[in-house]
Amino acid sequence: GDSVTQMEGPVTLSEEAFLTINCTYTATGYPSLFWYVQYPGEGLQLLLKATKADDKGSNKGFEATYRKETTSFHLEKGSVQVSDSAVYFCALKANFGNEKLTFGTGTRLTIIP
Amino acid sequence: NAGVMQNPRHLVRRRGQEARLRCSPMKGHSHVYWYRQLPEEGLKFMVYLQKENIIDESGMPKERFSAEFPKEGPSILRIQQVVRGDSAAYFCASSPSGPGGELFFGEGSRLTVL
């Protein structure tokens, strides 16, 4: 079945550091890929998405590129801020059937000033 | 426009009791999804409902768990005779339409079974 494997946390970085959170997937066909973020005390929010190979999703300085050849969707940001501290979830959705998402385990990111 | 509202945020039950978790989708949303997050694991799909219909319950345990989304009122996830292994965070998400619609998540309900 479909699965998502993402970088284990927690990850701690200094402010303005470069961020990479790895995500790889296993799926049949051509899924859509997502990054969700959960800030403390809040629900999950969609951060960015890509629906086909070589698409790049971007939002709030974060980027991720859908790499079919490596079945990856790594999240990157050039310069993190304290406000980026949150839990990040990689997810996929099969492009048939309903909107069911398959999630990774989440990566807790802490940015220190 | 209020977001997806879940209550209670925290629920404590003793083994054998019943737990009821409620989810009010965003206004205008007719699709509801329930997910469970066990400690140190990702969110796992449980069930997908539209008003008065269960569309996909492939992630629901076969016993003790049930879900509904009535014509009026919130969606309810019901767990009968809870056991310690049911302790988890339960997340609800809603979407306004069928395939292609973005999911909007609530803050989750954390169930602790003593």
Side-chain angles (χ1 to χ4, degrees):
Chain A
D2 297 347
S3 67
V4 175
T5 302
Q6 66 179 99
M7 180 177 179
E8 289 189 16
V11 174
T12 302
L13 295 173
S14 297
E15 202 166 22
E16 299 183 3
F18 184 86
L19 169 71
T20 300
I21 300 178
N22 290 338
C23 172
T24 57
Y25 67 90
T26 302
T28 54
Y30 303 94
S32 294
L33 302 173
F34 304 81
W35 277 100
Y36 279 82
V37 58
Q38 184 178 29
Y39 298 105
E42 299 183 15
L44 278 73
Q45 303 173 24
L46 178 63
L47 180 60
L48 53 83
K49 68 178 182 182
T51 58
K52 60 182 188 297
D54 300 324
D55 268 3
K56 177 186 285 188
S58 61
N59 186 24
K60 299 182 180 179
F62 290 88
E63 293 183 340
T65 300
Y66 189 142
R67 301 286 188 200
K68 188 173 184 301
E69 62 276 15
T70 54
T71 62
S72 65
F73 193 53
H74 304 321
L75 183 67
E76 297 182 336
K77 186 173 185 180
S79 177
V80 292
Q81 306 300 314
V82 172
S83 58
D84 294 326
S85 298
V87 181
Y88 292 81
F89 294 90
C90 186
L92 70 81
K93 179 179 76 69
N95 275 332
F96 55 85
N98 62 45
E99 299 305 290
K100 181 169 59 179
L101 291 168
T102 299
F103 284 89
T105 55
T107 302
R108 181 175 299 279
L109 174 66
T110 300
I111 307 301
I112 54 177
Chain B
N1 189 13
V4 177
M5 304 300 292
Q6 290 189 246
N7 68 83
R9 293 290 308 278
H10 300 276
L11 181 63
V12 179
R13 286 286 179 266
R14 297 190 180 280
R15 282 178 296 171
Q17 293 184 318
E18 178 179 287
R20 286 193 179 214
L21 308 177
R22 296 173 190 78
C23 169
S24 296
M26 289 181 69
K27 187 176 181 180
H29 287 195
S30 59
H31 300 245
V32 167
Y33 300 76
W34 284 95
Y35 288 81
R36 175 167 66 174
Q37 184 178 31
L38 295 170
E40 306 304 320
E41 295 186 18
L43 280 76
K44 305 289 187 187
F45 169 79
M46 299 182 74
V47 62
Y48 163 41
L49 311 102
Q50 294 180 22
K51 283 287 188 181
E52 301 183 276
N53 290 303
I54 296 174
I55 307 302
D56 181 351
E57 57 181 349
S58 58
M60 287 277 272
K62 292 291 184 279
E63 298 179 348
R64 303 187 297 108
F65 284 73
S66 62
E68 63 178 11
F69 188 18
K71 186 176 180 181
E72 301 290 338
S75 176
I76 306 278
L77 179 67
R78 181 183 180 204
I79 311 172
Q80 295 178 291
Q81 300 174 350
V82 296
V83 300
R84 290 218 173 106
D86 297 332
S87 296
Y90 292 83
F91 288 91
C92 172
S94 71
S95 71
S97 61
E102 177 184 340
L103 295 188
F104 294 81
F105 281 82
E107 295 177 7
S109 292
R110 186 165 299 278
L111 171 67
T112 301
V113 179
L114 300 178

